[in-house]
Amino acid sequence: MTGYEPGFRTLERERDGVDLPVEGEVPAWLSGALVRNGPAKFEVDGERVAHWFDGLAMLHKFRFDGGDVTYSNRFLRTDAYRRATEEGRLTGQFATAGSYRERLRSLVRTPTDNASVNVARIGGEHVALTETPRRVRFDPETLATLGDLAYADDLPAHHVTAHPCRDPERGETVAYATEFGRPSRYRIYRVPDDRPERIEIASIAVDRPAYLHSFGLTRRYVVLVEPPFVVNPLRFLLPGGAGFVDRYRWRPKRGTRWLVVDRESGDVVTRRRTTALFFFHVVDAFETDGDVVVDLVAYDDATIVENLFLSSLDGPGGLQTADGELTRVHLPLDGDSVRRRRLYRGMELPRVAPTAWGRPARYAYGQLTGRAGGNGLVKVDLGTGEAEEWFEEGYYAEEPVFVPAPDAEGEREDRGVVLATVLDVDAERSFLLVLDGETFAERARAPLPHHLPFGFHGEFFPAVTD
């Protein structure tokens, strides 16, 4: 057994409003709820999903009120969940193959609704997200599943981002989708805050669509980063026991393409190509001195996708992934060369303060990787690359979410708290960790009554209170 094994172990029990003991002090100003998403059921009738990304989705909510913390969790009651629990059937998803017929139906007609990747507020609704067009609505108070978000449009989409970007100044959320066909297209769109309607910004033809997970958004531009992890859409029509991502191929000679798109006109204002890199997460994007700047966590290739198959994680070598490099890329809008600089090595699941929207963030917060015996948390100065770290052997920390204090503004961007769930491998239980945003010192922890399977992403919703 690997030390982190409980993080990939099914959690069956659901709880509602459990008061958690608090060791230390949670600031009284912290009011609202952290809602996290991730897989929590990995087996059905003795059959196990192939990849971490394919476990059945569960929402976890931590509610904060006057220094107290309560916890609730609930599976999303989706079609995928019903088929698994009532019919004992796993259907094709990210890397779990399913039958040939199911895979075709999932891609073209009825994509999976196992929305296990992220949560957001889109078009006035709280939704759970995955990389298919089905956004699953949920009640932020009870975590009950409310059915799919019905868009008031017919925008064609097959593969979408689970990381939409909200623009608070324009009152809209921006995202993109890939439409597979001849030709395939990247379709960039916006959704107004007051209604679930996708309004197309741009449509970009592409011969071999790349696996895109996230993107950059500035006040004026959308930045698509296209790694050379690409697919011939005809591969989805081939028979055989392969999942969605198995059809993609790493083609480093193509390099990585950077597309900067004007949000008003939909025009591609610059196309740049650099040496090959792979990534999941853009950290931040902004404009400065005639450049568009993108911060992301980069890898040399796409082997991290293979390393996250459960068969690899269970193997004798255990978790063996490359350390992501926090990287800053300057994309000139004129004829100058692209500049790339590494800021920090050994980081994933990055976040910045929401108060930094539209300007260069001073700090990035992320999961600290590449340490023996656990994962930690890290705060990186994006100007200098200097870092503060939280790490204790035997603990596996997940994505940190920064919540600004009510008086955080200007030069006090890091005034607030960092929230993260952490697995204690010896106790086989998890706890919620609260760090001071400025000093990165521990302020509190709230132990849970059980372990939490490793999840992906979450959001803090200030207005969510029971």
Side-chain angles (χ1 to χ4, degrees):
M1 177 185 296
T2 59
Y4 53 77
E5 185 272 337
F8 298 100
R9 182 189 302 164
T10 289
L11 171 64
E12 294 282 5
R13 182 167 180 178
E14 297 174 316
R15 299 176 184 266
D16 183 27
V18 176
D19 292 326
L20 299 182
V22 175
E23 303 169 5
E25 184 176 351
V26 175
W29 57 259
L30 187 62
S31 179
L34 170 68
V35 180
R36 287 189 47 77
N37 197 353
K41 186 176 180 63
F42 301 97
E43 306 88 13
V44 175
D45 287 352
E47 181 183 2
R48 196 180 191 201
V49 299
H51 199 280
W52 175 31
F53 292 3
D54 282 337
L56 292 175
M58 175 181 279
L59 300 179
H60 305 266
K61 184 176 83 167
F62 298 88
R63 184 174 67 86
F64 302 90
D65 183 16
D68 296 329
V69 184
T70 59
Y71 168 77
S72 304
N73 66 311
R74 189 164 183 169
F75 280 105
L76 283 177
R77 269 30 178 213
T78 59
D79 293 340
Y81 179 86
R82 178 187 58 79
R83 285 192 294 268
T85 58
E86 297 179 10
E87 302 174 17
R89 186 159 57 95
L90 289 171
T91 54
Q93 299 179 46
F94 181 80
T96 300
S99 70
Y100 175 59
R101 184 176 180 180
E102 286 173 339
R103 285 191 289 107
L104 290 183
R105 183 169 60 242
S106 177
L107 179 67
V108 179
R109 295 176 57 189
T110 311
T112 182
D113 60 351
N114 183 37
S116 63
V117 179
N118 205 353
V119 294
R121 187 166 172 81
I122 300 177
E125 300 276 5
H126 291 83
V127 292
L129 311 173
T130 186
E131 295 185 329
T132 77
R134 299 183 70 177
R135 289 5 190 152
V136 180
R137 298 180 301 126
F138 67 90
D139 185 320
E141 295 186 359
T142 66
L143 301 184
T145 306
L146 303 177
D148 286 7
L149 176 67
Y151 286 116
D153 62 78
D154 57 357
L155 188 78
H158 295 126
H159 183 255
V160 306
T161 181
H163 290 277
C165 295
R166 183 171 181 272
D167 182 339
E169 296 177 356
R170 298 196 190 191
E172 64 185 26
T173 296
V174 178
Y176 64 81
T178 301
E179 177 192 8
F180 297 117
R182 300 185 66 180
S184 297
R185 292 187 175 274
Y186 300 137
R187 296 188 180 273
I188 302 170
Y189 61 89
R190 60 187 180 89
V191 181
D193 285 351
D194 61 353
R195 64 187 188 278
E197 179 183 5
R198 294 171 297 185
I199 302 169
E200 189 168 89
I201 295 172
S203 174
I204 303 169
V206 57
D207 64 335
R208 294 289 190 271
Y211 174 74
L212 306 179
H213 186 78
S214 63
F215 70 109
L217 183 70
T218 75
R219 282 193 167 98
R220 295 176 57 193
Y221 303 109
V222 171
V223 185
L224 296 185
V225 186
E226 189 186 51
F229 191 45
V230 297
V231 67
N232 180 342
L234 293 177
R235 281 187 162 273
F236 294 125
L237 303 179
L238 296 175
F244 172 79
V245 79
D246 296 311
R247 305 294 176 171
Y248 284 77
R249 297 291 181 267
W250 179 249
R251 300 291 186 245
K253 291 183 179 180
R254 295 173 65 99
T256 294
R257 190 166 67 145
W258 307 73
L259 303 174
V260 180
V261 181
D262 188 291
R263 291 173 60 181
E264 293 296 332
S265 67
D267 295 335
V268 179
V269 298
T270 190
R271 288 179 170 88
R272 297 302 184 109
R273 198 175 295 271
T274 63
T275 55
L277 64 80
F278 181 77
F279 81 106
F280 282 118
H281 299 118
V282 169
V283 186
D284 191 23
F286 56 92
E287 304 156 37
T288 180
D289 300 328
D291 290 355
V292 173
V293 181
V294 180
D295 295 333
L296 51 71
V297 177
Y299 298 88
D300 291 337
D301 55 39
T303 56
I304 187 172
V305 177
E306 299 175 9
N307 290 338
L308 296 177
F309 276 85
L310 294 186
S311 58
S312 298
L313 294 167
D314 292 341
L319 183 60
Q320 293 185 351
T321 60
D323 290 331
E325 294 186 350
L326 178 59
T327 302
R328 171 160 291 183
V329 179
H330 288 258
L331 302 169
L333 298 179
D334 55 21
D336 291 344
S337 300
V338 175
R339 304 190 307 279
R340 175 177 169 178
R341 178 166 66 100
R342 187 179 79 185
L343 297 174
Y344 182 84
R345 182 179 178 85
M347 180 182 188
E348 247 304 345
L349 303 174
R351 302 291 292 259
V352 297
T355 52
W357 160 251
R359 61 180 177 81
R362 174 72 185 277
Y363 302 104
Y365 304 87
Q367 179 191 61
L368 175 69
T369 63
R371 300 297 177 87
N375 289 331
L377 298 169
V378 63
K379 171 187 176 182
V380 181
D381 187 312
L382 292 170
T384 66
E386 296 177 352
E388 298 177 76
E389 301 173 353
W390 178 93
F391 177 81
E392 294 183 21
E393 188 172 351
Y395 293 91
Y396 284 84
E398 300 188 81
E399 175 197 54
V401 175
F402 179 82
V403 183
D407 58 350
E409 58 183 28
E411 296 299 320
R412 308 182 76 174
E413 177 189 293
D414 59 347
R415 185 170 176 80
V417 293
V418 176
L419 307 176
T421 48
V422 181
L423 172 66
D424 179 339
V425 296
D426 290 334
E428 297 192 4
R429 291 174 56 185
S430 298
F431 60 90
L432 178 76
L433 178 66
V434 182
L435 299 181
D436 186 277
E438 293 179 284
T439 66
F440 223 53
E442 182 173 332
R443 297 188 64 165
R445 61 177 68 183
L448 281 90
H450 51 64
H451 80 288
L452 296 183
F454 293 141
F456 300 122
H457 304 287
E459 287 293 336
F460 186 82
F461 298 109
V464 179
T465 54
D466 290 343

